[in-house]
């Protein structure tokens, strides 16, 4: 964009674009997920599993064509923001994101999924106190902003679990924690799942890491060799359980396992598991300081 | 494999040879019916305003658009977790004569018993396919208990070849999810043994 916008116009432009982006995420899965689902469906010989995959593909085509949310649970919007210190709207960003969720809720429409706690009423606007969730990172010497947008459903990735193990339990304990979650909760969380595993020093660092893990592309690898090894071991292991689509049995269980890790206290191993469902509605958009954008997750799509 | 389509009203005979893991489709009447509707009938003893004998219910809360004049259109509809209705379902089947219960995930002992005694099925519609499901609803014929809000109202839908519906509990009380669970847990233990040997990173 060449014309210089004033602050109000900038805010309006970004709100409109983000609102459209949220709508897009509701009816179109990112390329990595679409491709992986195709790949998994081709590996199924079980007729039941095949029919379920066919239904999914038909549903996604229809959702895109009719511009309707592909799943009725449009979740709670979670934004993971990496903001350059010099991005012009850094101070306005929280409001912009909240307003864009409100706008998209009216326009798409999205389901009203925000209930104020203790007062226990649905705001009817799909936004509320602290909702959408916005998580920040600030980047030095940058005037861009990267925004991961995630529709987190009530039956999959909002009910994550975290615990703190004793070092004596080791990474064996991490493996057990993840596997147990697959056969108890994972079966009903709409497999094939994308599993986010967070390892850190406490429940909240592990939990945050596990959510960030779900933002990483399907098929990507942790840079640490041991962590990458565990990703592969867990992926193969969970696949061998054979949950299949919808937990009704099949050749595979997951789209992948992503581990994100940070350092720990000598006395603790924090671990968290987040289960992203097959309808893994995440998108990544990057704005430069002129508010021109690039959508990295959905190739060839403009807003 | 030819498509197995059931049409309401459904009789005991229609369900006789259907087993867990089978896939069927439904034509006729299905009524959305979830948490509060179950509680009203069973706990508060308020009779349902719709006759469900030989028909189907759907554990679901749709997004519905109103066209005025009591005319409605389903925009999106998908199953919600059936297990929440477990505690009411046996009596619900007994009192209403409903033949098909459609939802998400498995159900438990109570429903198994209800299905066995009164010849009914629990079925799973693959979740997350809300637009596809909506296109199988031809018409909303009636709506009751609107005071419960959009998701909880009883939407009486006319559907055509609605499905795929996977049989999770059959008329003999067999339970697909329970059966699978045993196998999943066994394989999980095997995998734990294999993997745990290879992650001794703390030396
Ligand atoms: S788990 Fe995902 S696909 Fe399944 S109903 Fe929830 S949001 Fe939809």
């Amino acid at each position: 964009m060449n014309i210089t916008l004033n602050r109000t116009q900038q805010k309006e432009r970004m709100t409109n674009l983000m609102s459209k982006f949220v709508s897009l995420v509701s009816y179109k899965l990112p390329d990595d997920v679409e491709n992986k689902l195709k790949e998994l469906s081709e590996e199924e010989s079980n007729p039941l599993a095949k029919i379920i995959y066919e239904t999914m593909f038909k549903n996604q085509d229809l959702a895109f064509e009719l511009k309707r949310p592909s799943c009725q649970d449009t979740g709670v919007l979670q934004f993971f923001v990496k903001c350059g210190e010099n991005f012009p709207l850094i101070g306005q960003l929280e409001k912009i994101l909240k307003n864009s969720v409100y706008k998209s809720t009216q326009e798409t429409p999205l389901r009203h999924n925000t209930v104020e706690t203790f007062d226990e009423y649905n705001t009817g606007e799909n936004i509320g106190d602290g909702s959408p969730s916005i998580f920040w990172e600030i980047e030095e010497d940058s005037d861009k902003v990267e925004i991961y947008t995630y529709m987190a459903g009530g039956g999959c990735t909002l009910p994550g679990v975290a615990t703190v193990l004793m070092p004596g339990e080791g990474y064996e304990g991490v493996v057990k924690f993840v596997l147990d979650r697959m056969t108890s909760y994972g079966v009903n969380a709409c497999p094939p799942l994308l599993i986010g595993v967070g390892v850190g020093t406490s429940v909240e660092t592990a939990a945050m890491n596990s959510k960030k893990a779900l933002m990483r592309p399907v098929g990507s690898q942790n840079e640490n060799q041991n962590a990458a090894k565990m990703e592969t071991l867990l992926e193969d292991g969970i696949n061998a359980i054979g949950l299949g689509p919808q937990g009704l049995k099949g050749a595979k269980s997951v789209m992948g396992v992503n581990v994100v890790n940070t350092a720990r206290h000598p006395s603790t191993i924090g671990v968290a598991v987040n289960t992203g469902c097959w309808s893994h509605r995440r998108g990544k958009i990057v704005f430069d300081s002129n508010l021109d954008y690039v959508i990295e997750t959905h190739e060839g799509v403009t807003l | 494999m030819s498509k197995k389509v059931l049409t309401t009203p459904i009789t005991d005979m229609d369900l006789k040879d259907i087993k867990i893991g089978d896939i069927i489709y439904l034509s006729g009447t299905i009524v959305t019916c979830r948490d509060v509707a179950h509680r009203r009938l069973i706990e508060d003893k308020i009779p349902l305003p719709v006759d469900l004998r030989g028909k189907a219910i759907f554990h679901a809360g749709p997004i519905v658009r109103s066209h005025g004049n009591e005319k409605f259109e389903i925009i999106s509809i998908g199953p919600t977790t059936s297990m929440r209705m477990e505690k009411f379902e046996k009596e619900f089947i007994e009192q209403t004569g409903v033949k098909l219960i459609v939802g998400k995930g498995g159900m438990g002992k109570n429903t198994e018993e209800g299905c066995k005694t009164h010849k009914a099925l629990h079925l799973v519609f693959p979740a997350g396919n809300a637009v596809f499901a909506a296109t199988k609803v031809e018409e909303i014929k009636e709506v009751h208990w609107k005071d419960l809000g959009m998701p909880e109202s009883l939407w009486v839908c006319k559907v055509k070849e609605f499905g795929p519906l996977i049989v999770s509990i059959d008329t003999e009380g067999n339970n697909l999810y329970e059966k699978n669970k045993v196998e999943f847990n066994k394989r999980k233990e095997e995998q734990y043994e294999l993997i745990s040997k290879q992650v001794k990173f703390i030396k």
Side-chain angles (χ1 to χ4, degrees):
Chain A
M1 265 196 338
N2 304 316
I3 359 140
T4 345
L5 302 177
N6 66 34
R7 187 47 58 98
T8 316
Q9 288 167 324
Q10 283 180 330
K11 281 197 284 191
E12 209 181 283
R13 176 175 162 83
M14 192 166 175
T15 310
N16 285 337
L17 288 169
M18 277 312 296
S19 160
K20 285 190 186 147
F21 188 59
V22 169
S23 305
L24 170 74
V25 169
S26 82
Y27 56 71
K28 176 112 178 78
L29 292 174
D31 303 335
D32 60 330
V33 172
E34 267 187 3
N35 293 336
K36 188 68 192 187
L37 289 172
K38 289 226 175 69
E39 191 188 310
L40 289 172
S41 73
E42 279 155 19
E43 289 172 44
E44 287 294 348
S45 52
N46 172 347
L48 186 56
K50 273 182 134 41
I51 285 191
I52 296 174
Y53 275 115
E54 266 167 42
T55 309
M56 291 170 173
F57 298 138
K58 278 189 212 152
N59 183 67
Q60 293 314 118
D61 287 348
L62 278 168
F64 187 66
E65 188 187 309
L66 300 171
K67 305 278 179 279
R68 289 187 193 173
S70 57
C71 176
Q72 78 287 343
D73 184 1
T74 48
V76 167
L77 266 298
Q78 301 195 314
F79 295 103
F80 298 81
V81 175
K82 191 196 260 182
C83 191
E85 58 174 339
N86 301 318
F87 179 67
L89 296 176
I90 187 168
Q92 289 71 38
L93 195 55
E94 292 229 1
K95 268 208 193 108
I96 289 171
L97 291 176
K98 197 164 186 169
N99 290 338
S100 69
V101 172
Y102 176 74
K103 195 164 153 51
S104 178
T105 303
Q106 309 302 312
E107 287 170 6
T108 316
L110 307 178
R111 205 167 75 176
H112 302 163
N113 275 348
T114 305
V115 176
E116 291 295 0
T117 44
F118 287 103
D119 295 332
E120 286 305 315
Y121 68 94
N122 191 319
T123 64
E125 299 182 325
N126 206 26
I127 54 174
D129 193 11
S131 179
S133 330
I134 304 172
F135 305 101
W136 283 85
E137 266 176 66
I138 306 289
E139 198 173 28
E140 201 183 343
D141 278 341
S142 155
D143 60 1
K144 293 188 179 165
V145 64
E146 276 180 33
I147 304 170
Y148 279 103
T149 298
Y150 186 39
M151 261 176 202
C156 46
T157 179
L158 289 174
V161 276
T163 189
V164 176
L165 303 173
M166 286 180 288
E169 294 171 271
Y171 287 84
E172 298 88 319
V174 173
V175 169
K176 185 167 169 22
F177 191 70
V178 177
L179 290 181
D180 282 345
R181 187 67 173 167
M182 295 305 113
T183 48
S184 54
Y185 184 76
V187 191
N188 287 325
C190 288
L193 307 166
L194 181 62
I195 309 298
V197 178
V199 175
T201 193
S202 58
V203 272
E204 63 279 4
T205 54
M208 191 61 195
N209 286 345
S210 72
K211 227 14 170 318
K212 282 187 182 162
L214 290 183
M215 297 304 111
R216 255 181 46 199
V218 173
S220 61
Q221 265 202 339
N222 191 303
E223 285 170 15
N224 178 289
Q225 250 188 16
N226 285 340
K229 180 180 169 193
M230 195 159 97
E231 286 178 339
T232 312
L233 287 169
L234 281 172
E235 178 172 344
D236 293 347
I238 301 167
N239 275 334
I241 299 174
L243 297 179
Q246 289 294 310
L248 285 164
K249 278 221 286 209
K252 296 279 172 78
S253 315
V254 292
M255 297 191 273
V257 177
N258 290 350
V259 175
V260 168
N261 58 302
T262 46
R264 65 177 182 85
H265 184 282
S267 323
T268 61
I269 307 177
V271 51
V273 187
N274 244 300
T275 43
C277 64
W278 75 267
S279 189
H280 191 57
R281 289 153 293 170
R282 91 150 121 51
K284 182 185 185 189
I285 187 166
V286 182
F287 288 91
D288 65 19
S289 55
N290 292 320
L291 300 185
D292 288 329
Y293 66 87
V294 181
I295 298 171
E296 294 183 2
T297 41
H298 298 67
E299 212 192 299
V301 177
T302 43
L303 298 177
Chain B
M1 216 167 47
S2 68
K3 220 173 182 181
K4 169 103 183 141
V5 184
L6 291 176
T7 306
T8 57
I10 295 161
T11 63
D12 291 1
M13 276 304 282
D14 295 334
L15 304 183
K16 201 170 62 75
D17 298 321
I18 299 176
K19 297 273 161 289
I20 49 170
D22 287 356
I23 298 166
I24 62 159
Y25 295 79
L26 172 70
S27 291
T29 306
I30 188 166
V31 183
T32 65
C33 192
R34 51 188 284 173
D35 308 68
V36 188
H38 280 74
R39 207 168 54 225
R40 274 196 181 173
L41 177 70
I42 307 302
E43 274 180 4
D44 306 339
K45 316 242 179 292
I46 307 174
L48 285 181
V50 208
D51 180 14
L52 292 177
R53 206 154 292 280
K55 300 194 182 108
I57 59 165
F58 195 8
H59 296 152
I63 304 178
V64 178
R65 187 179 281 153
S66 168
H67 295 300
N69 252 336
E70 290 295 290
K71 285 271 164 243
F72 301 96
E73 182 198 4
I74 298 252
I75 297 295
S76 138
I77 186 165
T80 190
T81 306
S82 288
M83 203 44 117
R84 288 203 314 274
M85 273 53 81
E86 168 68 12
K87 109 176 205 227
F88 306 116
E89 214 64 278
K90 186 178 141 196
E91 284 168 275
F92 190 95
I93 300 171
E94 188 180 331
Q95 291 188 26
T96 60
V98 71
K99 284 287 162 203
L100 307 182
I101 298 148
V102 181
K104 167 180 164 177
M107 293 191 76
K109 282 263 167 293
N110 222 351
T111 311
E112 284 170 24
E113 253 182 71
C115 286
K116 191 170 173 181
T117 319
H118 304 286
K119 301 301 161 209
L121 302 176
H122 177 253
L123 306 147
V124 172
F125 181 88
N129 298 296
V131 185
F132 181 76
T135 61
K136 301 286 173 193
V137 178
E138 290 188 320
E139 174 195 3
I140 296 181
K141 292 200 293 194
E142 298 158 33
V143 53
H144 300 275
W145 284 357
K146 273 205 283 189
D147 59 301
L148 299 180
M150 189 193 285
E152 294 272 358
S153 301
L154 304 174
W155 299 96
V156 182
C157 303
K158 184 168 169 240
V159 292
K160 187 157 185 215
E161 299 200 357
F162 181 76
L165 303 173
I166 299 122
V167 181
S168 114
I169 300 178
D170 62 24
T171 53
E172 278 163 25
N174 299 308
N175 189 328
L176 182 63
Y177 275 87
E178 288 306 313
K179 206 177 120 219
N180 287 348
K181 231 188 240 167
V182 176
E183 212 171 307
F184 292 154
N185 278 318
K186 192 171 144 267
R187 293 191 203 143
K188 178 189 72 181
E189 296 306 329
E190 291 163 8
Q191 289 304 315
Y192 174 71
E193 291 308 318
L194 278 172
I195 301 172
S196 58
K197 289 194 194 82
Q198 301 175 67
V199 294
K200 301 202 183 296
F201 303 131
I202 301 179
K203 299 261 157 59

